[in-house]
Amino acid sequence: MTPKRISARTRNEWVTAYGFLLPNIVGLLVFVFIPIIYAFYASLHDWNALSPKVYAGWANYRELLHDDEWWASVRKTLTFSVVYVPLLFMSSLLSAVMLNAIRGRASGVVRTMFLMPFAITSVISAIIGMFMLDPRNGAVNHILELLGGSPQQFLASTSQAMFSIAGVILWINVGYNMIIFLSAMKEIPRDYYEAAEIDGATGWKSFRYITLPLLKETSTFILIVTTIGSFQALEQILVMTDGGPMNSTQVSVLYIFKQGFDMLNMGYASALAFVLFLIIFCLSLFQLKLLSSKKEGV
């Protein structure tokens, strides 16, 4: 059997395709895979970033198993993720549905208003959040008082600080995810809705049996990406509370940051970062498997 010859056109298409992919592949190698490998290498050493590394074997990993503060930070990260991800998903989807019903120039104005918080930097957004949630002069407490409620401590309260931070990060990211949902909705053919309307379907039934099933790919993407993002939240927490009050907002990434850059335990921080990477990786695979199996079952 003679091997099939590849035509010059096919060869040129391959070269063009790999030429476009090459910058992304190089970027992944330089900024993702090599840092992960180096973090694992550093985690096997006792290192303070100033003196040479000293090989320590698995000592850093044995230490983290008995580090109560680390596991407390993991629990706080999970709490933040459980609160933040469903809220972001639902609010983004609901906003996209409402915006999809608006026609004309008003649609562009509302879309810009939703997207504006995402355009500002993380530090500035955190500072705005601090002003809004200030217990004495914040706008949120003024609104609560106008509605007959009592002022809240928000970032100064151990029970409210995490939810307050989740609200600020939600305000920043809801517009971006709404745009993704809205783009997917625009791709759904109008014929489906017109046929459903002729059959007497209500707006809710059209949403339940047409919109939601056709948004499965987008929903899967947003759920996985926002879950990963919730495990990586750092800037806003660092600016707004620095882990306080009483470590109530000290999530895993912040604990790793403090171990690495405040205490200069670079080897130990690398071990923590590598374990956190494994947690996020396994969780993402689980989500992908779960959502894919549901999709196949439809």
Side-chain angles (χ1 to χ4, degrees), residues 12-250:
N12 288 335
E13 287 177 350
W14 285 5
V15 170
T16 303
Y18 282 111
F20 279 113
L21 287 173
L22 186 61
N24 289 327
I25 294 171
V26 172
L28 279 174
L29 282 174
V30 173
F31 297 111
V32 178
F33 292 113
I34 292 176
I36 290 172
I37 294 169
Y38 186 78
F40 178 68
Y41 168 76
S43 71
L44 300 176
H45 294 77
D46 185 10
W47 180 39
N48 62 9
L50 302 175
S51 57
K53 301 181 186 67
V54 178
Y55 182 71
W58 300 99
N60 288 324
Y61 290 93
R62 286 195 294 272
E63 183 179 346
L64 75 84
L65 288 176
H66 305 287
D67 187 346
D68 294 336
E69 198 171 353
W70 158 250
W71 292 111
S73 73
V74 172
R75 287 194 293 274
K76 290 184 176 66
T77 304
L78 290 171
T79 302
F80 174 78
S81 184
V82 167
V83 172
Y84 170 72
V85 173
L87 278 177
L88 179 66
F89 181 86
M90 294 302 295
S91 56
S92 302
L93 181 59
L94 183 62
S95 304
V97 170
M98 292 172 63
L99 193 58
N100 197 36
I102 300 175
R103 295 288 180 266
R105 292 184 179 178
S107 172
V109 174
V110 177
R111 190 163 45 204
T112 304
M113 290 173 62
F114 269 99
L115 202 55
M116 277 182 68
F118 188 74
I120 58 179
T121 65
S122 301
V123 174
I124 298 297
S125 62
I127 293 172
I128 293 173
M130 290 172 68
F131 280 123
M132 296 288 288
L133 298 170
D134 185 87
R136 286 179 295 181
N137 302 311
V140 178
N141 265 341
H142 285 310
I143 294 171
L144 284 177
E145 287 177 332
L146 287 174
L147 296 175
S150 56
Q152 301 296 317
Q153 292 298 310
F154 296 120
L155 298 174
S157 165
T158 55
S159 61
Q160 297 176 3
M162 184 65 84
F163 298 100
S164 302
I165 291 171
V168 173
I169 300 178
L170 181 73
W171 165 67
I172 296 166
N173 292 322
V174 69
Y176 173 76
N177 290 282
M178 179 204 69
I179 292 295
I180 296 175
F181 270 128
L182 188 61
S183 301
M185 286 179 186
K186 297 287 185 190
E187 295 297 319
I188 300 174
R190 297 297 307 170
D191 298 350
Y192 294 174
Y193 295 104
E194 290 170 1
E197 192 175 349
I198 291 171
D199 290 340
T202 60
W204 164 248
K205 285 186 176 178
S206 295
F207 175 74
R208 170 69 179 83
Y209 294 107
I210 298 175
T211 307
L212 270 184
L214 294 178
L215 288 179
K216 274 189 176 296
E217 300 282 349
T218 306
S219 301
T220 302
F221 169 78
I222 286 181
L223 280 173
I224 292 175
V225 170
T226 54
T227 302
I228 293 172
S230 69
F231 275 77
Q232 296 174 336
L234 174 65
E235 296 95 339
Q236 289 87 1
I237 298 174
L238 193 63
V239 173
M240 295 172 76
T241 62
D242 194 24
M246 296 178 66
N247 291 338
S248 60
T249 59
Q250 182 167 268

Side-chain angles (χ1 to χ4, degrees), residues 238 242 254 256-266:
L238 193 63
D242 194 24
L254 181 59
I256 293 169
F257 179 85
K258 288 181 176 179
Q259 285 290 332
F261 296 99
D262 289 352
M263 305 174 73
L264 293 180
N265 291 329
M266 286 294 182

